[in-house]
């Protein structure tokens, strides 16, 4: 091609490197209940360079899809329990760009049309030659590659899984949506807990916007951002001359939120004196402005939030127990993102859409961003200590760094995110001639890792589980098993 005549040596080298970069292996989920056929396919597909994971049922496939961003799913249509259509639907819901191939035992046009209508890339009819399947697979991959540039993720899908700006479809988030729907209608006080960046403020706003108070104000007060003396006048207001600098009468946030919702953020940082004053408001719904004796009555719904463990604070004596019970009428807990990995793809789509449409060049349509499955895998393997906020920042950064491309690649992610998905270097394992007891050996390694994590964190199970990227409950279970087996 004459236009690609390179005169600059360095550019030539660069183009060559790009051309010669090996394509990362494609990850494939194979769902087939007939063991002999499954095993034969695994062997042939692996020979072709695919990294194959097998599932012998639809249910098992769903679990695997929740944990890992596959490039391809090949599924038998007829399966005991959940069938291939269900598997395909779940796969596409999570990863709109996944290549889905249906294997059907019924070579009718109807089956084929139905599968394609539901989003399958192609289908093969049993019995088939392996080459037939391979052909369907490679041409589907090629079609996807071609369409990748302008294919936009089916943003509509996510609409069904959100609650006023809250995205998620993990069991934990579904429970949350259901709960929010019921509690929003009431006027009861709510205490939202969860690590930083899990969405506590979004939840507070969602509660207000779904409550009968939505036409009134949502007033937020961050208790940790304001010095103690000012906090009181921020909350209750003050009269002229109440303290040096109080030049005029000022309404506090409580009054501003009358008939509406007051969001008390970082409520755990309040001083004992302020805690007592807040307790009175919660009990009596009345207060006085600073420097005044006149009592004001308010009708306010209070939603409080904290990222520390309030029960622990009560036990330690830093938070009043009576105030805790008054605030904790309806507890809402937001689990950390690492415990609801399956929400990551949906959140990524949401943020891609959000940041693609920001600041488009005047007169141009904003580019629509997609993400490679490899990059998605990195995002899913990472532990997200800063939760959804950190994920949001990572996507914003990736979009900003993507240059002219419209697909986010692993190179747009930060080193610590990439690090998490790198395979761990295998420890020095010695296999003696006489053999080993596999289970015992593996559990010894498990125990050693847990022991070291606990040692590092001074016995703190919460932190140790973060260090191992395990759920806290999983760590506790493993510990229990370790104790009952007499320890390592
Ligand atoms: N489920 C979600 N869906 C969509 N966006 C979310 C979700 N959860 C959090 N976010 C986004 O993540 C960011 C952090 O959320 P938010 O401020 O509510 O966290 P927080 O729990 O109050 O954190 P902190 O304790 O640090 O104040 C916000 O930009 C918010 O829009
Ligand atoms: Mg917050």
């Amino acid at each position: 091609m004459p236009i690609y005549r390179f005169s600059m040596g360095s550019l030539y080298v660069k183009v060559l490197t790009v051309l010669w970069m090996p394509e990362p292996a494609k990850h494939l989920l194979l769902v087939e209940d007939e063991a002999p056929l499954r095993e034969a396919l695994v062997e042939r597909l692996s020979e072709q360079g695919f990294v194959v994971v097998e599932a012998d049922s639809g249910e098992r496939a769903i679990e695997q899809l929740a944990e890992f961003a596959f490039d391809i799913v090949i599924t038998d249509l007829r399966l005991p329990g959940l069938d291939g259509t269900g598997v395909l639907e779940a796969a596409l819901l999570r990863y709109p760009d996944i290549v889905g191939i249906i294997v059907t035992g019924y070579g009718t046009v109807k089956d084929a049309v139905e599968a394609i209508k539901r989003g399958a890339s192609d289908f093969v009819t049993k019995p088939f030659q392996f080459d037939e399947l391979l052909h369907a697979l490679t041409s589907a991959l090629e079609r996807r590659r071609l369409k990748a540039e302008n294919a936009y993720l089916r943003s509509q899908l996510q609409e069904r899984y959100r609650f006023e700006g809250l995205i998620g479809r993990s069991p934990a988030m579904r429970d949350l949506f259901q709960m929010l729907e019921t509690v929003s209608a009431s006027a009861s006080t709510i205490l939202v807990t969860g690590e930083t960046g899990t969405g506590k403020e979004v939840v507070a706003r969602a509660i207000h916007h779904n409550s009968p108070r939505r036409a009134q104000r949502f007033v937020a007060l961050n208790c940790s951002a304001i010095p103690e003396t000012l906090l009181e006048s921020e909350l209750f207001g003050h009269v002229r001359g109440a303290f040096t600098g109080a030049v005029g009468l000022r309404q506090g946030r409580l009054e501003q939120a009358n008939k509406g919702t007051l969001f008390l953020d970082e409520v755990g940082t309040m001083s004992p004196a302020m805690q007592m004053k807040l307790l009175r408001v919660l009990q009596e719904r009345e207060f006085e402005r600073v420097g005044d004796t006149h009592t004001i009555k308010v009708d306010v719904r209070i939603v409080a939030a904290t990222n520390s463990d309030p029960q622990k604070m009560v036990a330690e004596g830093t938070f009043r127990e009576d105030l805790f019970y008054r605030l904790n009428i309806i507890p809402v807990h937001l689990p950390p993102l690492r415990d609801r990995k399956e929400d990551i793809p949906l959140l990524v789509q949401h943020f891609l859409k959000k940041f693609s449409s920001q600041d488009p060049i005047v007169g141009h349509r904003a580019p629509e961003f997609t993400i490679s499955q490899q990059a998605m895998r990195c995002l899913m393997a990472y532990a997200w200590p800063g939760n959804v906020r950190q994920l949001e920042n990572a996507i914003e950064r990736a979009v900003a760094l993507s240059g002219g491309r419209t697909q986010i690649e692993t190179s747009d992610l930060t080193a610590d995110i990439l690090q998490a998905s790198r395979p761990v270097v295998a420890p020095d394992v010695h296999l003696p001639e006489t053999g080993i007891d596999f289970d015992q050996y593996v559990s010894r390694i498990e125990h050693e890792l847990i022991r070291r994590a606990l040692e590092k964190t001074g016995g703190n199970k919460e932190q140790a589980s973060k260090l191992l990227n395990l759920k806290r409950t999983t760590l506790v279970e493993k510990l229990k098993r370790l104790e009952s087996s007499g320890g390592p």
Side-chain angles (χ1 to χ4, degrees):
M1 277 181 287
I3 47 165
Y4 291 124
R5 201 163 286 147
F6 304 111
S7 51
M8 290 156 71
S10 63
L11 180 62
Y12 184 57
V13 170
K14 197 166 174 207
V15 170
L16 262 190
T17 348
V18 172
L19 291 178
W20 283 30
M21 213 142 61
E23 265 257 299
K26 297 281 183 223
H27 292 257
L28 187 154
L29 177 64
L30 176 68
V31 197
E32 170 60 65
D33 58 330
E34 285 176 52
L37 174 61
R38 190 176 65 238
E39 276 153 27
L41 284 175
V42 169
E43 199 184 321
R44 300 293 308 269
L45 287 163
S46 308
E47 277 168 18
Q48 294 295 324
F50 293 100
V51 182
V52 189
V53 169
E54 9 171 347
D56 57 6
S57 72
E59 286 76 8
R60 184 77 195 104
I62 300 288
E63 286 170 28
Q64 282 159 331
L65 283 163
E67 293 288 327
F68 192 81
F70 290 91
D71 299 292
I72 306 150
V73 57
I74 299 182
T75 178
D76 196 353
L77 198 55
R78 308 284 142 152
L79 293 165
L82 183 78
D83 68 6
T85 317
V87 172
L88 180 72
E89 203 170 285
L92 285 167
L93 197 55
R94 225 167 243 135
Y95 314 111
D97 268 350
I98 201 166
V99 167
I101 308 277
I102 294 277
V103 176
T104 159
Y106 307 81
T108 63
V109 177
K110 195 169 139 276
D111 270 348
V113 170
E114 205 39 52
I116 302 285
K117 260 208 297 216
R118 285 173 184 270
S121 302
D122 211 337
F123 74 103
V124 288
T125 316
K126 275 185 195 173
F128 57 88
Q129 296 287 321
F130 179 73
D131 281 348
E132 223 178 302
L133 175 67
L134 191 61
H135 180 256
L137 193 52
T138 45
S139 47
L141 282 170
E142 177 64 7
R143 277 200 306 279
R144 194 185 72 166
R145 195 184 66 74
L146 291 175
K147 136 184 153 177
E149 273 187 346
N150 55 9
Y152 187 62
L153 303 166
R154 295 151 213 231
S155 51
Q156 300 309 338
L157 280 178
Q158 75 191 22
E159 302 299 327
R160 276 183 284 152
Y161 303 106
R162 58 194 296 177
F163 190 93
E164 294 285 338
L166 267 177
I167 308 276
R169 62 186 310 274
S170 56
M173 289 304 279
R174 286 181 203 214
D175 287 352
L176 179 74
F177 295 161
Q178 205 165 16
M179 177 170 195
L180 291 183
E181 228 153 89
T182 24
V183 304
S184 295
S186 83
S188 308
T189 304
I190 294 182
L191 179 60
V192 191
T193 53
E195 286 179 15
T196 180
T198 45
K200 296 184 293 296
E201 181 154 355
V202 198
V203 162
R205 288 180 192 276
I207 291 169
H208 175 72
H209 288 292
N210 283 280
S211 78
R213 297 169 176 260
R214 69 177 74 87
Q216 308 297 325
R217 296 179 72 176
F218 174 87
V219 178
L221 177 61
N222 185 336
C223 305
S224 74
I226 300 172
E228 152 91 45
T229 44
L230 278 184
L231 183 59
E232 190 178 355
S233 86
E234 273 301 323
L235 193 56
F236 302 119
H238 61 75
V239 289
R240 190 176 165 177
F243 48 84
T244 334
V247 282
L249 184 144
R250 181 146 181 239
Q251 257 195 357
R253 307 280 170 109
L254 261 171
E255 265 180 274
Q256 291 170 3
N258 194 23
K259 306 276 184 215
T261 306
L262 176 68
F263 176 49
L264 290 176
D265 205 359
E266 309 290 356
V267 76
T269 60
M270 271 191 179
S271 71
M274 274 307 290
Q275 288 184 31
M276 209 166 80
K277 287 179 179 150
L278 178 61
L279 181 64
R280 179 174 164 225
V281 174
L282 288 171
Q283 280 170 342
E284 326 278 348
R285 303 279 154 178
E286 61 180 42
F287 65 94
E288 288 93 35
R289 292 183 188 133
V290 177
D292 199 5
T293 50
H294 172 68
T295 300
I296 299 175
K297 282 209 165 285
V298 275
D299 165 23
V300 168
R301 202 255 176 98
I302 292 180
V303 179
T306 173
N307 52 25
S308 29
D309 178 352
Q311 256 159 321
K312 204 167 134 211
M313 292 182 70
V314 168
E316 286 165 353
T318 50
F319 202 79
R320 288 183 70 109
E321 193 171 22
D322 44 7
L323 178 59
F324 170 68
Y325 287 118
R326 284 277 169 206
L327 284 175
N328 202 39
I329 309 269
I330 303 174
V332 171
H333 179 68
L334 284 168
L337 191 55
R338 65 184 163 281
D339 288 352
R340 43 182 166 112
K341 278 196 172 156
E342 53 193 295
D343 287 338
I344 293 178
L346 281 178
L347 285 163
V348 168
Q349 288 177 51
H350 172 70
F351 293 134
L352 276 177
K353 194 175 166 191
K354 175 173 169 185
F355 295 116
S356 319
S357 56
Q358 256 175 25
D359 308 325
I361 303 164
V362 181
H364 287 255
R365 231 176 116 240
E368 291 163 340
F369 279 84
T370 56
I371 183 164
S372 74
Q373 287 291 84
Q374 212 195 354
M376 183 69 95
R377 280 194 281 276
C378 293
L379 296 179
M380 287 174 80
Y382 186 58
W384 301 108
N387 295 294
V388 186
R389 178 182 294 114
Q390 192 190 2
L391 176 64
E392 183 172 358
N393 294 342
I395 299 297
E396 181 171 13
R397 178 183 182 277
V399 167
L401 286 185
S402 61
R405 282 178 287 113
T406 53
Q407 170 137 315
I408 303 298
E409 300 291 350
T410 45
S411 55
D412 303 320
L413 305 175
T414 55
D416 52 340
I417 296 172
L418 295 177
Q419 194 63 37
S421 65
R422 273 211 188 107
V424 186
V425 181
D428 209 3
V429 175
H430 174 64
L431 181 59
E433 289 302 313
T434 46
I436 50 153
D437 181 324
F438 181 83
D439 289 337
Q440 208 178 37
Y441 195 98
V442 170
S443 76
R444 272 224 311 276
I445 295 180
E446 245 185 15
H447 294 158
E448 183 56 23
L449 283 170
I450 293 178
R451 192 187 64 74
R452 287 192 200 178
L454 285 170
E455 201 177 81
K456 254 199 179 128
T457 59
N460 185 320
K461 289 176 193 159
E462 186 77 38
Q463 285 173 15
S465 59
K466 276 187 205 169
L467 210 55
L468 298 168
N469 194 12
L470 280 178
K471 286 189 186 173
R472 189 180 178 282
T473 45
T474 313
L475 179 92
V476 173
E477 258 168 48
K478 284 186 188 291
L479 264 177
K480 259 193 216 143
R481 245 190 298 139
L482 165 65
E483 274 155 18
S484 67
S485 68

